[in-house]
Amino acid sequence: SSADATIILWDVASGQPIGAPITDYGNFIIGLAFSPDGKTLAAGGGGNTVLLWDVETHQPISPYLEGHFNLVTSLAFSPDGRTLASGSYDGTVILWGLETQQPISPPLAGHSSWITSVAFSPDGRILVSGSIDNTIILWDMETFEPIGEPLTGFSNPIYSVAFSPDGNTIASGSGDNT
């Protein structure tokens, strides 16, 4: 993330920046995600928006994707690269169809507070979201409805969620040190 609205792409082998910094977002950046093919970079943050760039040219490839009413905090591409999930401090997740650059469903609204982390299952059939409300929700990507009740039992906010490579396990990081 970046407070100066700058994204720097780094070459892992050399430790050097790749090209000039990307400065088009126009506000501080909280969430970043690469598409599965590595050709697209998504950023979200203080503008309550998401912007997409071509990684090779460093040029924006979308208008601002607008729909959130607060900071965009977390981004995740579906494994097939056709959908981008954006979680926000407005308590919703928006699923963006990348071909149309429009939402593909109404916002996913099941949390009572800020969303801090989103992740797709390896097969793309489930999205998981973690929130400041101390819960985790699993979302069915065919119906856009929660799968069962929220996962609870945490005494502090959920800050990070991730799927295992086989899709059978979710890991969560919480402010309660678990």
Side-chain angles (χ1 to χ4, degrees):
S1 63
S2 169
D4 65 1
T6 300
I7 298 170
I8 299 173
L9 301 179
W10 297 90
D11 182 289
V12 175
S14 71
Q16 296 300 310
I18 301 170
I22 298 171
T23 59
D24 303 272
Y25 185 66
N27 212 313
F28 61 91
I29 297 164
I30 300 173
L32 292 168
F34 279 103
S35 62
D37 66 6
K39 294 180 180 180
T40 302
L41 177 68
N48 307 346
T49 60
V50 175
L51 191 58
L52 305 173
W53 285 271
D54 180 299
V55 171
E56 186 176 327
T57 66
H58 291 201
Q59 295 301 308
I61 57 173
S62 74
Y64 286 101
L65 305 182
E66 299 177 335
H68 285 294
F69 299 104
N70 208 327
L71 308 178
V72 174
T73 56
S74 184
L75 298 164
F77 282 91
S78 62
D80 66 7
R82 297 178 62 194
T83 304
L84 176 69
S86 60
S88 171
Y89 274 13
D90 66 13
T92 69
V93 175
I94 294 179
L95 299 169
W96 304 94
L98 294 178
E99 288 182 16
T100 64
Q101 298 177 350
Q102 297 294 318
I104 61 171
S105 74
L108 307 183
H111 288 288
S112 63
S113 191
W114 305 343
I115 292 177
T116 54
S117 186
V118 294
F120 279 97
S121 63
D123 64 8
R125 296 172 63 183
I126 299 171
L127 179 81
V128 62
S129 58
S131 172
I132 295 292
D133 69 6
N134 306 357
T135 68
I136 294 170
I137 296 178
L138 299 172
W139 301 93
D140 183 311
M141 289 295 92
E142 289 184 13
T143 65
F144 307 115
E145 295 292 330
I147 300 170
E149 294 297 316
L151 306 180
T152 61
F154 306 96
S155 60
N156 280 328
I158 306 300
Y159 291 112
S160 187
V161 293
F163 267 95
S164 63
D166 66 6
N168 293 325
T169 305
I170 297 169
S172 64
S174 171
D176 65 8
N177 299 326
T178 63

